[in-house]
Structures are given as C-alpha cells and as structure tokens.
Amino acid sequence: MNSPRTILFIAFLVVSFFLYQNWMVETAPGTKAPENVTSTQSSNNAENSDVPSGGSAVAADVPESDQPVVTQQSETTIRVRTDVLDVEIDTRGGDIVSAQLLEFAKTQGSEERFQLLQNSSNNVYIAQSGLIGPDGIDASGNGRPSYNYEKERYESETEVIEVPLTFTTQNGATYRKVFTFTPGKYNVDVRFEIDNNTNNTLNTQFYGQLKRSMATGESGSMIMPTYFGAAYSHDDDKFEKYDFDDMLDKRLNVNSQTGWVGMLEHYFVSAWVPTQQQQNRLFSRVANGSQAIIGAIYPMTSIQPGSSETIESQLYLGPKDQDAMAKIVENLDLTVDYGFLWWLAQPIFKLLQFLQSIVINWGLAIILTTVIVKALLFPLTKAQYVSMAKMRMLQPKMTALRERYGSDRQKMSGAMMKLYKEEKVNPLGGCLPMLLQLPIFLALYWVLLESVELRHSAFVFWIQDLSTKDPYYILPILMGASMFLMQKLQPTPTADPMQQKLFQYMPVIFTVFFLWFPSGLVLYWLVSNLITIAQMLIIYRGLEKKGINVRNKK
C-alpha cells in the first residue's frame, strides 16, 4: 500500500472484491441446497398452513393435507418486558408476534426501539411453536389452541419472568406452554409440560419455526452488501445460508442431532435452538407464495397414562452478539459472517473489543489497532523500502541490459535474475507488505460491516456512527490528501508519462471510492497512511545517511 504501483494493484483488487462481494449477496452465497433437500410439491392446504408436517428420524410423516388452514386472528396478546426485550405473545397458538430490542435504537438518536419481530398486514415476521402428531394440540382439525393465561402484562428488569399458558383437552390432558425470560439475555426458554390424565398414551412432536415475509428487508449496497434470508447449522455443515430463492425451489429436509435454524439480517438474528441430544428434523417451506418458513421438529414423544413429560427448546431474538450466541449453542456465532477471512477477522475483532474495553471508544480502538498492525508490519515495510531503494540504484544497470539484449527477452530475463542475485535484491520485496495489508483491510472491512457493537457507535465530533459513511466526507478527503502526500514522498516508479498520470489520479480515485465506505474503515486507512508517512521518513532518513538517494532529489 506504500508505492503507487502497489496502490494501483490494491485498487484493482478492492474493486474486484466489492463486485464479487455484491455478486455473492445477490446470488445468495453458500445457499446451495444439500443433497437431502426435497422438492416443494405439496397440497395447497399445506402451503397456507402455519403448522408443519410431522415426521422425524423416528416417526412417520403426518400427511400435510390433514393440517388445518390457519386463518384465525389473534385473541389476546400478552406483553412481556425485560431490560433488553419487549415482546408480545399471542394467546392463540402461543406464538411470539412482536419483539423489540430495547438496547438498540431503530435509527441513530431515535427514541424508537429496533423492531425485530412483528405481525402486520404487509410484514409478517413471527416465531411460532407448538405440538403436532396424533395427539398434538396444534394438529387438530380445530386449528391452533386458545390458551388460558394468568395475566396480560409482565415486567421486570432484574427478576426471571415465567409466562405460563395452559390448554386442557376434552379428554382431560393438560398442556402448559411456559416462556422463561432472563434479565440481560436475548434467548427465551420455551418448554411444554404435558400431564397425561387420560387412559391412553399420548404421542406428540414439538416444532419451532420462524415465519417471515420474503419481500421485506434490505441486502445493502455494493459497498456494504449484507445478507437477508434464512440460515441453518447441522451435523455436516457448521453454517449454511439458505436464500429465499432457494427456499422457493427446494425444501430443506435434514435430520441432525446438532444445529439450529434462523433468519438473518444486518446485525440481528432470530433462531430456534432445539435440544442437541436427539435426531431433530430441520425443515423449510414457503406459505402463500410469499412467506418463508424454516424450523425444527423433534422426534415423537410418548406420554404414558398418568405420567408427565417436559419438552424444551430455546429461541434467540437479538443482536449478532458473538459472545452471547457462542454460549447458547455451537456455531450460532457464525451468523456474524466474516466471509472467507473469518480466521483473521475474529482475532481482529477480539483485539478491537479488548482495546475498546480500555479506551471506551470504538474509534480510538480502531486507531490503536492500526498502530499495532503497522508496528507488527514495520520490519516488512522497512524491507520493502530498502528493496525499492536498491531497485532504484539498479536502474542504470537495468537500462544497460535493455540496450545490450534488445528484444531478446529470454537473455534479458536471465541477465536480470543474475543481476538481482549479485546485488542481493529481491524484486518481489516490495509486494509482501502489500499482500499482508490487503487481507487485514478486507478482514477489518467485514468486522466493521458485521459487528453489531459498532452500530451507532460514535467516535468524535461529527462521526456519530462508525458503521456508516462520513456525513460530511471529511475523513475520505483527509485520506485522499494523505495518499497524495505519500505519493510525493516516494520515488517515481516509472518513466512512462501515461503511467505517471494514472498514478497521480489514484488519490482522487480512492477518495471518491471511499466516500461511501464506513467511516470506521476510512479512519483505519487514514491512520494507516499517516503512520506509513512517518515510517517512510524514518526509513528514508536512515537510507540517505548511508548515501542511498531514494527520493526524487535533483
């Protein structure tokens, strides 16, 4: 990143990267259907039903045509408010039909909270769960059960909240659906307590699913592409995106002991996390041609007469908090998608997180991270400039070789290699720091793009959100000026007037390109340039003391 030639190369790679990144989002990266995804052919009733078919690794499917067409409206909603969540539970079916994240504003500086789940005429995004199978209360011909409830409002910021819903069948079986909310946590425990007060064995299956309108949501721009769609994890794949277009084409039908299913958007995720001690079935389908459904179904549970059983699951409704999600289930933290450089982005994020805990400012943490990165790369940077200086000193000899061998490229190439060996010059010595810097830049780009911790995080003065562009474009302009200064300090890389003119325009091209970058990323690049300028002056001064002229001095 320190010479015009390498800057030109980086520009090409960066532009190519963002075009590729945008293409990946548009075509749903990683959304190939696994081999055991089945066709979407089914009856019309099944496509309109909220209730999935039965079936698992140990139980036969309940015919989908026997499932009800669920058209009932909400009767009563129960509101539950903790310190981080404000949710509404529909007493018909016991579905969570609304969820606000109280620690996240909808927009910068807004009093309105971010709405994750909602159930409106033009945007359906809800978390459903129930019991199907021969004795499942959500699989009867009467539709979803209407639960009895104790009260309509629960609120506590310090105490665990339990919300019990009760339904009793005509034959005396009692089903309790209990939601447990814990202060400071976005995962909700959902359990069914079944008391079999009948004379017959009850057979039922738990299901949990997420239902979302496919037409809503944003996938970002070319500069900031973000994924909007479904995802899942199972025994054979830690993390797989499952785009709505693929969901329209093929159904998910995977048996797995581990894993989860979820809906992803920029910074936020909802996910059903089944118990990991049994073979569950992960499934998907599309309802009404416009609503995507992804979920998990448990194996059949048998409750003997006079006995009781408890079936448990977890629902995560919140930000893409890697630390919190990693504690819930393995691989859920991979919803923070750092791309193919995740192995580099994760330690960079950990470093950022550690520094922020000390300086209490993400902008300062970015600056300190840049200083650390540049310090680690300094030996390579020094080697780069020494190599550039030696290459400059070899120019007269290179010119003589060209005159001697003319158009004989083979002899010319051999003579150049011999000259490099004699002078102990590595012609690729100037490329290594650039090749190391580019992955770091791309990894930091993903960190700033995906990490919810930087959402609406202020730096200083006019920079009130490091995850979005500079509103006044001051940082990009300063970054362009720093590139221009770097260019002036460096040796002329070529005598070709055309290439020289192109190099002169590089600061302008980069400035325009960076106008739409997240301000945190521009801050990183600006600080990196300033440190590079300081390093250049130190290195040049040392070389010039040895009599090596590395700058454009007459």
Side-chain angles (χ1 to χ4, degrees), residues 322-323 338 343-376 440 444 447 451 454 524:
Q322 298 176 67
D323 296 334
Y338 289 147
W343 53 272
L344 182 57
Q346 287 185 346
I348 288 177
F349 173 75
K350 293 297 183 183
L351 176 61
L352 271 172
Q353 196 176 39
F354 170 73
L355 294 173
Q356 193 275 338
S357 68
I358 298 174
V359 298
I360 319 299
N361 184 294
W362 283 102
L364 292 177
I366 291 172
I367 293 174
L368 291 176
T369 299
T370 310
V371 172
I372 292 172
V373 169
K374 295 298 290 184
L376 293 174
I440 293 172
L444 188 59
V447 168
S451 300
L454 274 77
Y524 161 76

Side-chain angles (χ1 to χ4, degrees), residues 1-8 10 374 384-385 430-438 441 483 486 490 510 524-525 528-529 532 536:
M1 188 181 306
N2 302 318
S3 72
R5 192 183 299 276
T6 56
I7 288 176
L8 181 62
I10 285 179
K374 295 298 290 184
Q384 176 188 19
Y385 283 109
C431 298
L432 185 56
M434 178 271 295
L435 293 176
L436 288 175
Q437 183 85 336
L438 182 60
F441 165 77
M483 286 188 65
M486 285 173 56
Q490 290 170 343
F510 261 60
Y524 161 76
W525 198 286
S528 178
N529 284 353
T532 298
M536 288 169 57

Side-chain angles (χ1 to χ4, degrees), residues 64 157 182 223 333 336 344 352 380 408 411 431 499 517 532:
E64 288 192 292
E157 296 185 356
T182 304
I223 298 299
D333 57 328
V336 183
L344 182 57
L352 271 172
L380 293 174
D408 192 334
K411 290 185 178 180
C431 298
Q499 290 189 37
F517 268 54
T532 298

Side-chain angles (χ1 to χ4, degrees), residues 307-476:
S307 64
S308 300
E309 289 288 344
T310 299
I311 304 174
E312 299 179 322
S313 185
Q314 285 191 83
L315 173 65
Y316 184 84
L317 302 170
K320 293 179 180 178
D321 184 327
Q322 298 176 67
D323 296 334
M325 291 188 294
K327 295 177 181 178
I328 296 172
V329 67
E330 189 176 6
N331 301 322
L332 185 58
D333 57 328
L334 296 182
T335 55
V336 183
D337 187 11
Y338 289 147
F340 67 92
L341 289 174
W342 59 268
W343 53 272
L344 182 57
Q346 287 185 346
I348 288 177
F349 173 75
K350 293 297 183 183
L351 176 61
L352 271 172
Q353 196 176 39
F354 170 73
L355 294 173
Q356 193 275 338
S357 68
I358 298 174
V359 298
I360 319 299
N361 184 294
W362 283 102
L364 292 177
I366 291 172
I367 293 174
L368 291 176
T369 299
T370 310
V371 172
I372 292 172
V373 169
K374 295 298 290 184
L376 293 174
L377 292 178
F378 180 72
L380 293 174
T381 302
K382 184 177 181 179
Q384 176 188 19
Y385 283 109
V386 171
S387 176
M388 289 170 59
K390 290 182 178 180
M391 287 293 293
R392 179 181 175 82
M393 294 177 64
L394 290 180
Q395 287 304 311
K397 295 182 180 181
M398 298 286 288
T399 301
L401 288 176
R402 292 189 184 95
E403 292 175 353
R404 179 178 179 183
Y405 294 107
S407 59
D408 192 334
R409 295 185 177 181
Q410 185 174 359
K411 290 185 178 180
M412 176 67 182
S413 177
M416 288 174 59
M417 292 299 103
K418 183 179 179 180
L419 179 62
Y420 291 148
K421 185 175 182 180
E422 291 175 351
E423 299 293 337
K424 298 180 180 179
V425 174
N426 182 3
L428 300 178
C431 298
L432 185 56
M434 178 271 295
L435 293 176
L436 288 175
Q437 183 85 336
L438 182 60
I440 293 172
F441 165 77
L442 296 180
L444 188 59
Y445 161 82
W446 265 312
V447 168
L448 296 177
L449 179 66
E450 279 288 307
S451 300
V452 69
E453 290 83 356
L454 274 77
R455 181 181 185 263
H456 297 170
S457 294
F459 176 37
V460 292
F461 307 125
W462 72 98
I463 303 296
Q464 295 299 308
D465 189 351
L466 287 164
S467 66
T468 61
K469 67 180 183 180
D470 184 336
Y472 302 111
Y473 307 113
I474 296 175
L475 286 180

Side-chain angles (χ1 to χ4, degrees), residues 16-281:
S16 300
F17 163 74
F18 285 114
L19 289 174
Y20 173 69
Q21 177 81 351
N22 192 61
W23 175 81
M24 287 180 69
V25 171
E26 291 298 327
T27 56
T31 58
K32 60 179 178 61
E35 293 181 358
N36 47 357
V37 170
T38 58
S39 171
T40 58
Q41 294 178 355
S42 60
S43 67
N44 291 334
N45 278 355
E47 292 304 312
N48 292 324
S49 175
D50 279 353
V51 181
S53 66
S56 68
V58 295
D61 282 1
V62 176
E64 288 192 292
S65 58
D66 293 339
Q67 304 300 331
V69 179
V70 179
T71 57
Q72 297 103 325
Q73 299 299 314
S74 302
E75 294 180 344
T76 303
T77 57
I78 298 171
R79 186 172 182 178
V80 184
R81 185 182 178 94
T82 71
D83 56 334
V84 295
L85 285 173
D86 187 349
V87 307
E88 294 181 5
I89 303 171
D90 190 348
T91 57
R92 183 180 292 278
D95 301 329
I96 298 182
V97 295
S98 175
Q100 287 188 343
L101 309 184
L102 300 180
E103 292 191 337
F104 296 89
K106 182 178 181 180
T107 57
Q108 178 71 23
S110 171
E111 292 295 326
E112 188 176 358
R113 301 294 89 186
F114 182 81
Q115 186 88 29
L116 184 64
L117 302 186
Q118 57 184 303
N119 190 21
S120 61
S121 58
N122 59 352
N123 185 14
V124 174
Y125 184 12
I126 58 178
Q128 300 178 298
S129 58
L131 297 173
I132 56 175
D135 301 295
I137 54 177
D138 291 272
S140 66
N142 297 324
R144 308 291 301 283
S146 294
Y147 286 99
N148 295 319
Y149 53 93
E150 295 179 358
K151 56 182 181 178
E152 297 182 12
R153 294 290 182 270
Y154 294 82
E155 183 171 357
S156 177
E157 296 185 356
T158 58
E159 301 291 333
V160 173
I161 298 175
E162 284 206 345
V163 182
L165 305 177
T166 306
F167 181 80
T168 303
T169 62
Q170 292 181 351
N171 60 5
T174 301
Y175 297 80
R176 281 186 298 274
K177 186 175 187 179
V178 183
F179 295 87
T180 303
F181 298 82
T182 304
K185 294 187 176 180
Y186 293 95
N187 50 307
V188 181
D189 294 322
V190 182
R191 72 178 186 272
F192 279 89
E193 299 172 349
I194 307 167
D195 294 332
N196 186 0
N197 302 317
T198 72
N199 296 321
N200 301 314
T201 299
L202 300 179
N203 295 295
T204 188
Q205 292 175 273
F206 169 86
Y207 77 91
Q209 65 184 27
L210 298 162
K211 178 179 180 181
R212 180 162 200 177
S213 300
M214 294 186 292
T216 59
E218 299 179 357
S219 57
S221 61
M222 188 190 82
I223 298 299
M224 295 184 63
T226 56
Y227 179 73
F228 170 72
Y232 61 91
S233 174
H234 62 94
D235 292 341
D236 299 324
D237 201 331
K238 293 181 178 180
F239 174 66
E240 187 70 35
K241 294 177 183 175
Y242 189 42
D243 186 73
F244 293 148
D245 288 338
D246 282 339
M247 198 177 293
L248 282 166
D249 294 336
K250 292 185 178 181
R251 285 190 172 186
L252 173 66
N253 183 16
V254 177
N255 292 320
S256 177
Q257 181 171 326
T258 63
W260 46 265
V261 292
M263 291 285 186
L264 277 57
E265 60 187 276
H266 196 196
Y267 295 129
F268 303 103
V269 60
S270 62
W272 276 106
V273 182
T275 57
Q276 309 286 294
Q277 293 83 35
Q278 58 195 16
Q279 284 288 320
N280 305 307
R281 181 164 69 89

